[in-house]
Amino acid sequence: MIPLRFVISRIYAGWFDVHLCRDGAVLYGLSASDVWGNDAPRAWLTMLTALLRGEAPSGWTLFDEEPGTYILALEQGKTNVLTFAYTRWEAVGQEGNCQIWGLEPFSQLAGRISQKAEVCFREESDFPLFVRSVYEAFLPWAQKQTQYAGSWMPFPTQEWSAFQGRVRELGWDLDSTEQKVEPCTPAT
């Protein structure tokens, strides 16, 4: 299984862009807008930390765009499954009827969505390597928080510290035997 990676591709002018990559190629992109004041990256770190602490086996985060919403969900069990979906539903925007993250399976969230969520992919993932890619994506921004805040919202210092601490406790922050993965490039 070639691991799926989470890469922060750009933070600019109220947008937070992420790519999901495999083997150096971009598979999917998602964006969050700050127009509704919802901090999806902060929520993502909070949700992941809860999963890493064993508070729940499943969780999801909404990345609200203009219009529509991207959903990233992780479910742990016999296998670890990552789901990436999109819906035209304004989940946390003007309707204001949903929290930005939760600790339940994607199927439960999907049951509450007024407009069907299109699942772009749902597949097994190497959970430690995926979490490590999230760690690697946020690490440089932790060191340039002023630049982060200038283009998005304040850097999620508390959430990052909790996530970073748990990743380090698990030993998922460094692996000297793994080769450095090349940056993502658009699939051809």
Side-chain angles (χ1 to χ4, degrees), residues 2-6 20-22 27 82 121 123 125-126 129-130 133:
I2 299 173
L4 191 67
R5 293 180 47 236
F6 177 97
L20 299 175
C21 303
R22 178 178 287 127
L27 299 178
L82 177 69
F121 78 84
E123 60 185 61
S125 68
D126 184 318
L129 289 179
F130 183 73
S133 76

Side-chain angles (χ1 to χ4, degrees), residues 55-71:
E55 294 174 21
S58 304
W60 48 265
T61 301
L62 304 178
F63 289 75
D64 50 325
E65 199 183 34
E66 301 172 36
T69 303
Y70 292 100
I71 303 165

